[in-house]
Amino acid sequence: VGFQTSVAQPWRRTVAGLAVTVGGIALATGALVPFRDHISADAAALVLVVPVVLGVIVGGFPAAVAGVIAGFLAYDFFFIRPFHTLSVGRAENWIGLVVYAVVGLAVGLVVDQLQRARLEAQRHADETQVLYDLSRLIAAEPTVDAGLHRVLRQLRGAVSASTAAVVSDEGDTPEVTAIEGDRFHDDHIAALGPILASADLSAGPIVADQLTAIPLDAPTGRLGFLVVAGDHLQDDARRLLVPFAKQMAITVERARLAEEATRSKTLEEVDRLRSALMGAVSHDLRTPLACIKASVSDLLDSSVALDDTDRVTLLSTIEDEADRLTRLVANLLDMSRIEAGALEVRRTATPIDELVETVVNRLGTSVLRGHPVTVDADEDLPLGDIDYVLIDQLLTNLLENAAQHGPDRGPIRVHTTCLVSGWIDIHVVDQGPGIDVAERDRIFGLFYRLRQAGPRPSGTGLGLAICHAIALAHGGRIWIESTPGGGATFVVRLPAAVAQQRSGPLLRDLSAE
Amino acid sequence: MAKILVIDDEVALLRALGTGLRARGYELLTAETGEDGLLQAAQEEPDVVLLDLGLPDLDGVEVCKRLRKWTAVPVVVLSAHGTEARKVEALDSGADDFITKPFGMPELEARLRVALRHRRALAGAPEEATIEVGPIVIDIAGRSVRVDGHPVDLTPREFDLLAFLARNRGRVITHRVLLEEVWGEGYGTETHYLRVYVNHLRKKVEADPAHPRLLHTSPGIGYQLVSPDESG
């Protein structure tokens, strides 16, 4: 950040200017003296104007004055006869001397003014750059707080301060909201309180005891004070802090408002999804209840003659729907555990292929909707190092999903294999419409289904989100591939138990018929 | 034998309803999507349609609107939403009645009987001179009402309200429709008028106004006039 140019100390400039003029005149005099018999005194006077002009550019008007005096003396002493005396001699020599002085001073004045204007323009450009960089810095950070710290760090470096901080003056004692550099002493802060409270803020920065405080006034109110501490803080830098603080206040406020807007938008979205989830959950709970109620009320209605087939149909409906409620409640419980970060994995060495069979048999026709399910596995499949309750739930959800989305009575295959040493892959293969590559990652998100457009989301979409969480909790993962010939293949990779092998061929057709 | 078309995507519910309704002597048609339901309604001409509002392809209200474009078949909405707004929307789109899931089979059968009788009554005389609903006899042309044979004095507004409900007996009429039909355009939200007039009417036509058997309230939705023997 370009504070450096404008903070360069002015007395150094003057000294440099004096050196240039006086040195220049000495050099020019030395160079011209051997030829003084061959050139006119007027020509020497013209040459002696040059060091004055150069001195002004470096050191400003004081250098011009010094240069004119030195040049005047050198001109008189070395180039006006009689040489080596200060006597002027003829009257026309006076004219030369006076013209030299007037021209030297006039040129000095003009050049000095140009130089000042140039420096002023440079300073403005620097300030603009600083302010611009500031707003960019706040906007570039993910949070306003981070942006604030970065700006203070930058500012501290630019003005060579030991500390740059934002201090809030709400409440009885000032409170440091962000600080970069050395910590304030406690007595510094205590001293700051009454100063901030009593100071006349319109008079510019408040300076007290190595501390400079500038109010951060945003359009909607005061955000606090920018406080800079340092032993060698220049007035120039201090002056620049005022527009800096003004711009900083506006930028910080804008960033805060934007942050607030984003936060409330996010909350709104979460709110909307939560109520959508509630709607979907209550729909999923009510549907089995509606079936159970209709069936039970029928069985209880003595005015209706039901035959044995009817009774069996109604009773098995009740059983299936009770199971469906159980699965939904299990998913809801898992979800709340996952959300609370309380999903506990109790690992035991488990034969995964047997677990798959158990789940498929338990689900039966009602869940699998008449899809024939084939289960097969590698012959020398290692045991899985898994929580079988959780993996049971994962397989249930995957099979329910495959049955829901596969075509009528389309076959489902569950293939368990060990492709990568130390890991067991379960493939659940359906022949449904498949899943777009673009959708494959998002489908495991909690609210995926609920985000879908359409007259009604078909279910809560909890199932796949839970599968994902369970796979991750095991240190494994879940992903989707395309089934050759159409359809989706869900692959779950789970850890194998170390150094245990089991054998036993498994290839059974568990047709759901 | 009455033909019932059930449009619902829940296979288990279709099975449970099917078993119960067949055992009660109804002929049953089922559709799992709105499109299939509309097709079957056209081909099979059912006597009553039971319509779920949450279908996978079409919104239930949309199915109702499409049915109403060409048929007066009674539509009873099965709603799992529990939100009154959806029911009102369906009723305003031409549904006759609603039943909230979960429901018992006897309750469903009662609604079916009302719907079926309503259909027969409408099929009989499109412009009736007199309408009978249980003990109430309404002389439309003479603008007079008798209950159990005794004349009853009604204000013109009360008469219009009773006559409109009677012409649509068996149907749940929403507040908005009643207000616009009886009071006129612009009264669609003045439901407190309705409450007052319905209370007056009950005092004049019900045997026990505190326990109405003819003029039923569907809280938050509307009113329905039924014969006491239909209400199950």
Side-chain angles (χ1 to χ4, degrees):
Chain A
V1 178
F3 270 69
Q4 265 30 314
T5 329
S6 41
V7 235
Q9 289 141 333
W11 61 269
R12 285 199 191 148
R13 270 189 64 208
T14 313
V15 169
L18 287 176
V20 167
T21 12
V22 177
I25 284 170
L27 272 175
T29 307
L32 287 176
V33 164
F35 310 103
R36 63 181 164 194
D37 294 328
H38 310 289
I39 58 169
S40 74
D42 303 341
L46 280 176
V47 174
L48 288 178
V49 170
V50 176
V52 175
V53 173
L54 292 177
V56 174
I57 293 172
V58 178
F61 193 65
V65 175
V68 165
I69 293 168
F72 186 95
L73 293 175
Y75 181 41
D76 184 14
F77 199 75
F78 292 106
F79 300 104
I80 292 179
R81 290 166 203 274
F83 297 141
H84 308 295
T85 69
L86 285 179
S87 132
V88 175
R90 284 180 297 159
E92 64 183 71
N93 289 341
W94 275 110
I95 297 172
L97 274 172
V98 170
V99 167
Y100 173 77
V102 169
V103 167
L105 288 175
V107 167
L109 250 161
V110 169
V111 171
D112 184 53
Q113 263 166 16
L114 283 175
Q115 185 70 356
R116 276 175 197 276
R118 192 183 67 79
L119 284 176
E120 193 62 25
Q122 176 68 41
R123 179 150 48 206
H124 274 299
D126 288 347
E127 287 176 8
T128 312
Q129 185 64 37
V130 168
L131 299 180
Y132 172 72
D133 285 351
L134 167 75
S135 48
R136 221 187 31 188
L137 283 179
I138 292 184
E141 293 290 327
T143 65
V144 175
D145 205 44
L148 211 53
H149 276 97
R150 193 159 161 205
V151 165
L152 291 174
R153 201 157 52 235
Q154 206 79 25
L155 175 72
R156 182 177 158 257
V159 298
S160 320
S162 58
T163 307
V166 171
V167 175
S168 139
D169 65 337
E170 283 167 33
D172 296 335
T173 50
E175 196 178 319
V176 177
T177 43
I179 187 164
E180 282 290 326
D182 304 341
R183 298 193 55 79
F184 285 131
H185 300 300
D186 286 345
D187 46 338
H188 261 158
I189 298 204
L192 208 56
I195 296 171
L196 295 183
S198 64
D200 174 16
L201 297 167
S202 56
I206 308 159
V207 183
D209 196 16
Q210 296 180 358
L211 293 181
T212 305
I214 301 106
L216 290 168
D217 286 331
T220 59
R222 177 160 301 162
L223 306 177
F225 287 86
L226 174 65
V227 178
V228 178
D231 294 335
H232 308 292
L233 205 61
Q234 297 300 308
D235 281 347
D236 209 18
R238 213 168 260 154
R239 194 186 56 75
L240 185 55
L241 287 176
V242 175
F244 187 98
K246 190 173 280 174
Q247 179 70 19
M248 182 170 167
I250 292 168
T251 315
V252 167
E253 189 185 58
R254 192 177 304 152
R256 281 209 180 130
L257 290 177
E259 205 174 61
E260 238 162 65
T262 313
R263 198 179 305 135
S264 71
K265 205 182 241 176
T266 312
L267 282 179
E268 240 169 58
E269 172 75 353
V270 167
D271 238 29
R272 195 186 66 72
L273 289 172
R274 282 207 179 281
S275 66
L277 180 66
M278 280 309 295
V281 167
S282 63
H283 174 268
D284 280 13
L285 286 170
R286 261 181 231 242
T287 307
L289 284 176
C291 297
I292 291 171
K293 169 102 180 175
S295 306
V296 171
S297 64
D298 230 6
L299 288 166
L300 285 176
D301 190 347
S302 52
S303 67
V304 181
L306 295 166
D307 61 22
D308 282 351
T309 329
D310 290 343
R311 276 177 207 287
V312 171
T313 309
L314 293 175
L315 287 169
S316 57
T317 301
I318 293 168
E319 192 187 21
D320 290 347
E321 295 306 302
D323 289 346
R324 186 153 80 159
L325 278 176
T326 309
R327 287 195 304 279
L328 179 65
V329 170
N331 271 337
L332 286 174
L333 278 177
D334 280 349
M335 203 62 238
S336 63
R337 277 193 206 117
I338 291 164
E339 285 226 301
L343 189 68
E344 204 182 322
V345 182
R346 294 200 182 85
R347 292 166 191 268
T348 47
T350 308
I352 289 184
D353 44 0
E354 284 179 14
L355 182 59
V356 171
E357 261 192 279
T358 312
V359 173
V360 170
N361 284 328
R362 196 195 58 233
L363 292 183
T365 13
S366 65
V367 176
L368 298 172
R369 301 185 179 195
H371 294 271
V373 179
T374 320
V375 176
D376 60 279
D378 281 1
E379 282 205 1
D380 48 357
L381 193 74
L383 294 172
D385 183 28
I386 57 159
D387 182 326
Y388 66 88
V389 178
L390 290 179
I391 298 303
D392 182 317
Q393 183 76 25
L394 181 149
L395 288 168
T396 304
N397 289 347
L398 282 185
L399 284 164
E400 206 174 352
N401 182 70
Q404 221 164 40
H405 297 288
D408 252 7
R409 298 186 187 279
I412 297 170
R413 178 177 178 226
V414 187
H415 174 60
T416 312
T417 179
C418 175
L419 292 175
V420 180
S421 174
W423 296 95
I424 298 168
D425 292 354
I426 309 171
H427 298 248
V428 177
V429 188
D430 70 45
Q431 296 183 356
I435 295 154
D436 270 2
V437 177
E439 297 287 294
R440 285 183 187 175
D441 287 329
R442 288 193 281 148
I443 206 167
F444 295 109
L446 179 52
F447 294 121
Y448 174 75
R449 282 271 186 76
L450 302 175
R451 288 188 209 272
Q452 300 306 294
R456 195 199 73 196
S458 51
T460 53
L462 282 179
L464 291 179
I466 287 168
C467 290
H468 184 241
I470 290 176
L472 284 189
H474 280 82
R477 50 185 285 245
I478 184 168
W479 69 92
I480 299 168
E481 295 174 358
S482 299
T483 303
T489 296
F490 284 77
V491 187
V492 191
R493 177 161 291 176
L494 296 169
V498 187
Q500 288 196 43
Q501 293 253 317
R502 231 174 37 93
S503 60
L506 273 165
L507 185 69
R508 260 162 243 171
D509 185 12
L510 292 169
S511 165
E513 291 308 297
Chain B
M1 188 162 53
K3 243 196 251 182
I4 315 286
L5 170 61
V6 188
I7 310 178
D8 194 318
D9 64 324
E10 286 299 331
V11 183
L13 190 67
L14 289 180
R15 196 172 53 200
L17 292 184
T19 309
L21 290 175
R22 274 193 212 97
R24 283 173 173 79
Y26 293 97
E27 189 185 340
L28 196 83
L29 304 163
T30 60
E32 289 178 41
T33 62
E35 292 289 357
D36 186 32
L38 287 167
L39 191 71
Q40 290 204 44
Q43 287 173 345
E44 307 285 338
E45 294 180 6
D47 298 301
V48 177
V49 174
L50 293 180
L51 173 66
D52 182 43
L53 286 185
L55 295 170
D57 58 339
L58 289 174
D59 186 62
V61 174
E62 176 63 26
V63 174
C64 208
K65 280 183 190 156
R66 290 204 201 168
L67 278 173
R68 277 294 167 262
K69 280 183 185 160
W70 57 272
T71 173
V73 61
V75 175
V76 178
V77 162
L78 308 176
S79 165
H81 288 271
T83 56
E84 308 312 303
R86 291 281 291 159
K87 289 172 192 161
V88 169
E89 208 183 332
L91 291 168
D92 282 348
S93 305
D96 296 80
D97 200 353
F98 63 88
I99 183 164
T100 305
K101 291 180 182 177
F103 49 81
M105 289 303 288
E107 190 188 352
L108 178 66
E109 206 195 357
R111 304 292 177 108
L112 287 176
R113 277 203 304 270
V114 170
L116 284 167
R117 172 161 323 186
H118 170 216
R119 177 175 163 77
R120 274 195 291 276
L122 284 186
E127 275 300 319
E128 299 152 302
T130 57
I131 306 175
E132 280 189 51
V133 182
I136 308 175
V137 179
I138 304 167
D139 176 359
I140 300 287
R143 292 185 68 83
S144 66
V145 174
R146 283 169 179 274
V147 177
D148 288 326
H150 305 295
V152 176
D153 260 348
L154 295 182
T155 66
R157 194 79 85 187
E158 287 167 355
F159 180 86
D160 289 343
L161 181 61
L162 183 64
F164 186 75
L165 284 168
R167 268 196 292 271
N168 292 284
R169 59 196 174 278
R171 290 188 63 187
V172 178
I173 309 297
T174 62
H175 295 139
R176 192 179 62 77
V177 170
L178 274 177
L179 283 164
E180 286 183 0
E181 288 291 335
V182 179
W183 271 263
E185 294 286 335
Y187 284 89
T189 54
E190 316 283 340
T191 49
H192 56 282
Y193 288 13
L194 270 177
R195 212 170 43 240
V196 171
Y197 275 87
V198 166
N199 281 338
H200 288 173
L201 263 182
R202 280 188 180 139
K203 280 180 192 146
K204 293 178 181 177
V205 304
E206 295 274 4
D208 178 3
H211 301 95
R213 299 176 62 222
L214 302 164
L215 186 43
H216 293 266
T217 304
S218 293
I221 293 173
Y223 296 95
Q224 180 186 30
L225 188 68
V226 291
S227 313
D229 55 315
E230 286 170 336
S231 59

